[in-house]
Amino acid sequence: METKFFNLTVEETLRKLHSSTNGLNSKEVLTRREKDGANVLEAKKHSTLLEKFVAQFKDLMIIILMIAALISMLAGEVSDSIIIFIVVFLNAVFGVFQETKAENAIDSLKEMTTPFSRVKRDGIISQIKSTELVSGDIILLEAGDIVPADARIISQNALRAEEAALTGESVPVSKDIRPLTDENPPLGERSNMLFMNTVIANGTAEAVVVATGMRTEVGHVAKMLDSAEDSVTPLQKNIAHLSKVLTVLILIIAVVIFVFGALTKRESILDMLLTSISLAVAAIPEGLPAIVTITLALGTQAMSRKNALVRKLPAVETLGTCEIICSDKTGTLTQNKMRVEQFYADQTLQKALDFDKKNAPNLQLAMILANDAKESENGPIGDPTETALLDFFVENGASAKIQTVQHDYPRLASLPFDSNRKLMSAVVEHKGQKILFTKGAVDELLKRVTKIEENGDVRPINASDKQQILEMNKQLAFQALRVLGYAYRPLDELDELTSENYEKDLIFTGMTGMIDPQRPEVENAVFEAKNAGIKTIMITGDHKETARAIAIRLGIIAESDLNGVITGSELDELSDSELQKNIEKYSVYARVAPEHKVRIVKAWQARGKIVAMTGDGVNDAPALKQADIGVGMGITGTEASKNVADIVLADDNFATIIVAVKEGRKVFANIQKAVQYLLSANLGEVLTLFMMTMLNWSIFAPVQILWINLVTDTFPAIALGIEKSEKNVMTQKPRGSKSNFLSNGVGFAIIYQGLLEGLLTLGVYLWAVTFPVHSGSVAIHADALTMAYATLGMIQLFHAFNSKSIHETIFTKKTFENKFFNLAVLVSAVLLASTIFIPGLNSIFHVSSLSWMQWSIVLMAGVLMIVIVETVKLFTRQKMSVSSDEGSK
């Protein structure tokens, strides 16, 4: 059973660890090092580059493409094979690059550890490598030190630790040596413990090491990070699903053609095999992986311009499917900077913006003088609470006042903050008069107050005054404000510098309420997310009241929602099945530990939801990896969190996530348009080849199929990837995990549009045979095949315009806005026509020259493709409108 050192006294802890205040002896150190090992964070063995590279070829679509490339090579189409192999190779190289970067997560945790520590052994203080620490070692720490291992504090002076990276606590935590009574407090409330990789913000301490390496709390995080399963993105699921569908269709079609030809003895076995191969080549959209990659890359560039830096390409599209955004509070929803928001002086509560700096002069003096923050070129530096007090004057154009006051009131002595009395004081002198200024917790301050200042007059404080102050303190605290009280006392003479001698008979002068304010744009972003069907979840290490107040301000929960906030300790009382069952009740999680975040993400995923998780600390890394989309913070984020994240926000701003969601939805819509275009085109090719075979007509040569696939298919499909988003993209509900490329009517569109392309092409072939321009069977069929080849290519180019929207009409001003698309269609048309018009290419592509009459038939078929598809869209929109009206009733 694991020892809970935070429940033990200092003496009990030392006995349990068989140590003393003089530290361990050399012999015991060696024994423990052999037993515990080095104080380092371990990681599972990384796979080699070769193993990573081979793993990239396990994807079903890649396997299909490899088979197609081999078949094409056997059929003599070496150029086709080379192009396919190049696409597959580049995809594999890119995958290896991304995977290698992601593996740096654990390594970055290891790099955070401080290299040296001051340790007491055999009563002698020395400096050793932190990796050599063992349990029972006595370590010495001071402000600025990184804690090298988990330790129980045995003595301290004004100690505060910055634990945000591990616990999410937004301000430094005060520490003491008293044992805790709670048997399982959250990490953020273990006030007598220090944790590996956190930072000493203030004061000094001696502590005894209780855990090293992977047994520390950050080691626990590393284990979770190492064991977390890599989630499969919706895009990867969609491509896998599409691959399966295509595999089945291709095999069926190829087998049917081969068997039909063999049984009817229409051609030799070898010829039928080559015909089946041609069909397989026609059915596989060779350009799809490249088009998906290019579309995602273009989306990546667009997102980077909006401060969302994409580390893993599929993440662009995954954001578009997002249904739940779990966001860290500090620095993402809030500014990660304390700010004075309310003043209470002269029995009046005022907003900081309305506070007249001529009022309550002693309150203002206390804010400046009972303060250890220092001025610098970049503004005040020090404890966030104390810098906020000076920032009030800086932001209100009174920075000169700070320097004037500090010059006119030089400090003589000070009583540093202590977690027991929760106060700090400074003794200053002004014009020969010595004055004590004190700030701290209101309830503790009032115990030492005997007078109150009101409108410049000082009078004895009564019970009613104290009750009003405490009530106001409670009111401000309920609004998640960090409240400080201020008092002062003129001194007759200096005595021994103790709290008992100085912090008494104080004159109460006022209070300030501070908060880490929400980012101004976040409230609107939360509202926009809600309109888009996305639920925002706030997860924080802060107290329940603070979390609730911020969540209400941001619109994450309503003020009347009393059950929407849950703490980590309350979460521990729920089993995984209970949490999964009740997960939709909770929108705010307070005082959480790293494992809680992973549980929350898993619970939503178990409900079939696509989850995005934001975070900046080491404690966030496992949840970022577990989520469908991990969003790291570029400014405040640790390397551990950024390395496992799929997307990094350059501005640490929640609103940027919503911008990225919009881009993700656009990317999916554009990929879906490209899929619709490619598959309908390929279905048209397959149908044409299939019917030509069945009707004993001349069939396309492999080079013709290849040219159509690579020229008229690929360029417009890539151009569809940079279409602008449609106007209603952020008012639709998320697609969810069950959605795929064939959803939303795309499957139906692919089938009927593919059939239409094939029928129009066959119709033109039939027209050419029925109404020939030339005489002779060979010339007639050559013309017919050439017209069919030109028609199939031109129909696809006309159909590219149809694919700009699945349901909406193309007859708008926006149809020609995409200049790259217009150029792609034009270039494709020229490349297609060049194979017919340029004499030298005729023999290579097995085509004949066409008359203007024949070209007019080809163009007419292309126009007819647009007319018929637009007619179907019209009826589809009317049907959708009727269904929507019935649903609203």
Side-chain angles (χ1 to χ4, degrees), residues 11-29:
E11 293 76 16
E12 290 170 336
T13 300
L14 292 172
R15 277 200 304 271
K16 187 74 176 178
L17 293 167
H18 303 289
S19 185
S20 70
T21 54
N22 287 324
L24 301 171
N25 59 52
S26 302
K27 183 179 179 181
E28 184 64 24
V29 169

Side-chain angles (χ1 to χ4, degrees), residues 401-625:
K401 181 174 182 176
I402 300 174
Q403 298 172 352
T404 301
V405 168
Q406 290 175 339
H407 179 270
D408 293 346
Y409 293 78
R411 181 182 289 195
L412 303 179
S414 65
L415 286 164
F417 178 86
D418 182 275
S419 58
N420 292 324
R421 72 185 208 285
K422 297 179 181 179
L423 301 172
M424 77 84 61
S425 296
V427 179
V428 299
E429 185 175 18
H430 180 63
K431 296 179 179 180
Q433 172 67 61
K434 297 174 178 62
I435 312 169
L436 175 80
F437 285 99
T438 302
K439 77 168 188 300
V442 175
D443 51 348
E444 293 295 329
L445 188 69
L446 286 179
K447 294 176 183 178
R448 295 163 170 79
V449 165
T450 57
K451 300 183 180 76
I452 186 171
E453 185 179 59
E454 186 176 344
N455 297 318
D457 297 326
V458 177
R459 61 173 175 81
I461 194 168
N462 55 46
S464 177
D465 294 325
K466 289 188 176 183
Q467 183 61 35
Q468 182 177 343
I469 293 168
L470 289 172
E471 192 63 37
M472 187 58 62
N473 177 43
K474 183 178 179 181
Q475 179 182 327
L476 293 174
F478 188 75
Q479 297 174 36
L481 297 180
R482 185 179 179 86
V483 186
L484 289 176
Y486 302 85
Y488 67 98
R489 176 169 79 96
L491 301 175
D492 295 327
E493 57 184 26
L494 295 181
D495 203 343
E496 182 184 356
L497 192 64
T498 65
S499 174
E500 292 74 17
N501 289 338
Y502 282 84
E503 293 174 338
K504 62 181 182 179
D505 298 326
L506 300 176
I507 303 167
F508 183 83
T509 186
M511 295 185 291
T512 57
M514 287 174 285
I515 197 169
D516 178 9
Q518 71 268 28
R519 289 177 177 267
E521 63 278 2
V522 168
E523 185 177 357
N524 185 59
V526 171
F527 178 76
E528 189 175 357
K530 192 176 294 183
N531 280 346
I534 302 170
K535 184 179 179 69
T536 302
I537 305 292
M538 188 171 85
I539 303 178
T540 178
D542 278 340
H543 291 280
K544 189 173 184 177
E545 293 75 17
T546 303
R548 176 182 170 80
I550 291 292
I552 290 172
R553 289 184 178 206
L554 295 174
I556 293 174
I557 60 172
E559 196 163 354
S560 58
D561 186 358
L562 302 177
N563 301 315
V565 186
I566 185 173
T567 64
S569 57
E570 292 169 336
L571 198 58
D572 286 332
E573 297 175 5
L574 299 176
S575 65
D576 288 341
S577 59
E578 288 174 327
L579 176 59
Q580 183 183 331
K581 182 180 178 181
N582 296 288
I583 191 72
E584 294 189 5
K585 294 180 181 178
Y586 310 120
S587 297
V588 180
Y589 296 83
R591 307 304 279 171
V592 294
E595 56 267 27
H596 293 143
K597 299 181 181 184
V598 175
R599 283 190 69 197
I600 294 163
V601 171
K602 283 185 174 180
W604 278 112
Q605 289 174 329
R607 296 291 291 266
K609 301 295 185 182
I610 302 296
V611 183
M613 172 76 196
T614 77
D616 59 358
V618 174
N619 61 324
D620 297 316
L624 290 175
K625 189 173 182 181

Side-chain angles (χ1 to χ4, degrees), residues 672 675-677 679-680 683 740-757 799 806-807 865 868-869 871-877 879-880:
Q672 196 173 41
V675 167
Q676 177 193 342
Y677 173 69
L679 295 190
S680 59
L683 179 58
N740 58 58
F741 287 131
L742 306 181
S743 301
N744 196 30
V746 173
F748 169 71
I750 289 171
I751 293 172
Y752 92 80
Q753 290 166 8
L755 290 173
L756 182 59
E757 285 189 27
H799 182 49
I806 296 169
H807 300 297
M865 183 73 191
I868 294 173
V869 172
T871 303
V872 175
K873 284 185 182 181
L874 177 62
F875 284 110
T876 303
R877 287 196 300 273
K879 184 177 179 181
M880 291 171 63

Side-chain angles (χ1 to χ4, degrees), residues 35 61 64 73 104 177 209 222 243 282 297 312 353 377-378 393 436 468 498 533 556 643 700 772 825 829 866 887:
K35 177 184 175 184
M61 177 64 86
I64 292 173
M73 186 173 289
N104 292 330
I177 65 171
V209 174
S243 300
K312 301 175 184 177
L353 292 174
E377 293 181 0
N378 299 318
F393 297 98
L436 175 80
Q468 182 177 343
T498 65
I556 293 174
N643 279 336
F700 295 132
V825 171
I866 288 181

Side-chain angles (χ1 to χ4, degrees), residues 543-838:
H543 291 280
K544 189 173 184 177
E545 293 75 17
T546 303
R548 176 182 170 80
I550 291 292
I552 290 172
R553 289 184 178 206
L554 295 174
I556 293 174
I557 60 172
E559 196 163 354
S560 58
D561 186 358
L562 302 177
N563 301 315
V565 186
I566 185 173
T567 64
S569 57
E570 292 169 336
L571 198 58
D572 286 332
E573 297 175 5
L574 299 176
S575 65
D576 288 341
S577 59
E578 288 174 327
L579 176 59
Q580 183 183 331
K581 182 180 178 181
N582 296 288
I583 191 72
E584 294 189 5
K585 294 180 181 178
Y586 310 120
S587 297
V588 180
Y589 296 83
R591 307 304 279 171
V592 294
E595 56 267 27
H596 293 143
K597 299 181 181 184
V598 175
R599 283 190 69 197
I600 294 163
V601 171
K602 283 185 174 180
W604 278 112
Q605 289 174 329
R607 296 291 291 266
K609 301 295 185 182
I610 302 296
V611 183
M613 172 76 196
T614 77
D616 59 358
V618 174
N619 61 324
D620 297 316
L624 290 175
K625 189 173 182 181
Q626 176 64 43
D628 298 285
I629 180 81
V631 183
M633 302 295 120
I635 299 173
T636 60
T638 59
E639 286 303 308
S641 62
K642 285 188 279 190
N643 279 336
V644 297
D646 303 293
I647 291 176
V648 176
L649 302 184
D651 57 359
D652 289 13
N653 194 339
F654 178 85
T656 303
I657 302 174
I658 306 305
V659 173
V661 167
K662 183 177 181 180
E663 189 66 32
R665 290 189 174 191
K666 184 191 82 172
V667 164
F668 179 85
N670 287 349
I671 293 176
Q672 196 173 41
K673 292 170 187 176
V675 167
Q676 177 193 342
Y677 173 69
L678 284 172
L679 295 190
S680 59
N682 286 11
L683 179 58
E685 294 171 20
V686 170
L687 178 63
T688 303
L689 277 167
F690 181 81
M691 292 306 298
M692 282 179 168
T693 303
M694 294 297 168
L695 296 171
N696 203 23
W697 292 354
S698 300
I699 62 173
F700 295 132
V703 69
Q704 292 174 328
I705 298 171
L706 175 63
W707 195 250
I708 289 174
N709 278 358
L710 295 182
V711 175
T712 63
D713 280 9
T714 307
F715 293 155
I718 292 173
L720 284 170
I722 57 173
E723 283 288 298
K724 291 183 179 179
S725 59
E726 297 184 38
K727 58 184 179 181
N728 60 346
V729 69
M730 285 302 284
T731 57
Q732 299 172 352
K733 289 185 177 180
R735 300 190 319 276
S737 57
K738 295 182 180 179
S739 173
N740 58 58
F741 287 131
L742 306 181
S743 301
N744 196 30
V746 173
F748 169 71
I750 289 171
I751 293 172
Y752 92 80
Q753 290 166 8
L755 290 173
L756 182 59
E757 285 189 27
L759 291 174
L760 286 172
T761 303
L762 293 168
V764 169
Y765 186 99
L766 183 61
W767 185 92
V769 173
T770 308
F771 304 101
V773 174
H774 299 97
S775 59
S777 178
V778 175
I780 290 172
H781 283 283
D783 281 357
L785 191 61
T786 302
M787 288 182 68
Y789 162 70
T791 300
L792 188 57
M794 293 304 293
I795 280 178
Q796 291 181 9
L797 296 180
F798 277 92
H799 182 49
F801 286 94
N802 286 329
S803 302
K804 279 175 166 278
S805 178
I806 296 169
H807 300 297
E808 297 300 319
T809 180
I810 64 169
F811 295 121
T812 66
K813 294 179 181 179
K814 294 183 178 180
T815 300
F816 297 100
E817 277 188 354
N818 186 343
K819 294 180 181 179
F820 182 75
F821 178 86
N822 299 336
L823 180 62
V825 171
L826 179 61
V827 169
S828 296
V830 170
L831 290 173
L832 176 68
S834 66
T835 62
I836 300 172
F837 281 114
I838 299 175

Side-chain angles (χ1 to χ4, degrees), residues 36 67 119 162 289 364 459 729 813 847 884 886:
D36 297 343
I67 293 172
V119 63
E162 172 60 66
Q364 297 181 57
R459 61 173 175 81
V729 69
K813 294 179 181 179
V847 294
S884 179
E886 290 178 352

